[in-house]
């Protein structure tokens, strides 16, 4: 059973794409938590950050490079942005295909979220 992100990757579910290459795609988050909220997603399905291996080194680097490029493209590089990856329940991961959140376009709350 493929994840919702793989269904978006395969154009079975619509989304607003902002970037795509052979390894990665990026879409606007459906429930934005900031003025700009982009999800950077590997095309390869990896369930959580616990499942990455040395084989994924290049892929993970490509996610960071894509984030930097997208931030420039959407005009938030200089004002600033935050990159976040959630892993499993305590971090609130809801889609089990690793993805990086790119958040910006406004002043973000300080801190990284401790106890609720
Ligand atoms: P997580 O909580 O797993 O770190 O983040 C999953 C993100 O995916 C959430 O911010 C959620 O709003 C977003 N999301 C879930 N389903 C969809 C969808 O169908 N389309 C888009 N564009 N984003 C989605």
């Amino acid at each position: 059973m493929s994840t919702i992100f793989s269904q978006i990757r395969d154009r079975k579910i619509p989304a607003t794409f902002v970037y795509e290459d052979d390894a990665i795609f990026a879409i606007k988050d459906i429930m934005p938590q900031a003025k700009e909220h982009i999800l950077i997603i590997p095309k390869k399905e990896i369930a959580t950050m616990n499942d990455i291996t040395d084989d994924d080194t290049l892929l993970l680097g490509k996610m960071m490079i894509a984030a930097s490029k997208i931030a420039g493209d959407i005009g938030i590089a200089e004002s600033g942005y935050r990159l976040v990856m959630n892993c499993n329940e305590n971090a609130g991961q809801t889609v089990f295909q690793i993805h990086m959140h790119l958040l910006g376009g406004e002043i973000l709350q300080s801190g990284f979220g401790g106890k609720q």
Side-chain angles (χ1 to χ4, degrees):
M1 175 66 184
S2 64
T3 70
I4 194 131
F5 290 161
S6 286
Q7 293 175 59
I8 289 170
R9 175 198 65 202
D10 297 340
R11 283 17 185 219
K12 291 180 180 148
I13 293 175
T16 305
F17 280 68
V18 297
Y19 179 85
E20 185 168 21
D21 63 26
D22 58 335
I24 285 160
F25 63 104
I27 55 173
K28 293 194 175 200
D29 197 291
I30 204 168
M31 285 182 61
Q33 304 296 311
K35 203 167 166 199
E36 299 288 354
H37 187 171
I38 307 291
L39 300 171
I40 297 147
I41 309 165
K43 290 186 171 175
K44 175 184 173 185
E45 275 190 34
I46 303 170
T48 79
M49 285 300 289
N50 295 332
D51 303 303
I52 61 171
T53 71
D54 288 344
D55 289 345
D56 300 312
T57 302
L58 185 61
L59 184 63
L60 293 163
K62 285 183 172 183
M63 290 173 72
M64 305 291 279
I65 300 292
S68 171
K69 279 185 185 157
I70 294 164
D73 289 347
I74 65 175
I76 63 169
E78 296 309 318
S79 55
Y81 54 90
R82 182 173 293 156
L83 301 173
V84 176
M85 294 181 80
N86 294 320
C87 181
N88 278 340
E89 188 178 354
N90 276 4
Q93 184 177 2
T94 57
V95 179
F96 288 86
Q97 178 169 357
I98 64 166
H99 51 279
M100 182 183 288
H101 298 257
L102 165 60
L103 299 145
E106 62 184 327
I107 295 175
L108 303 171
Q109 283 187 349
S110 61
F112 298 99
K115 288 185 186 295
Q116 284 186 344

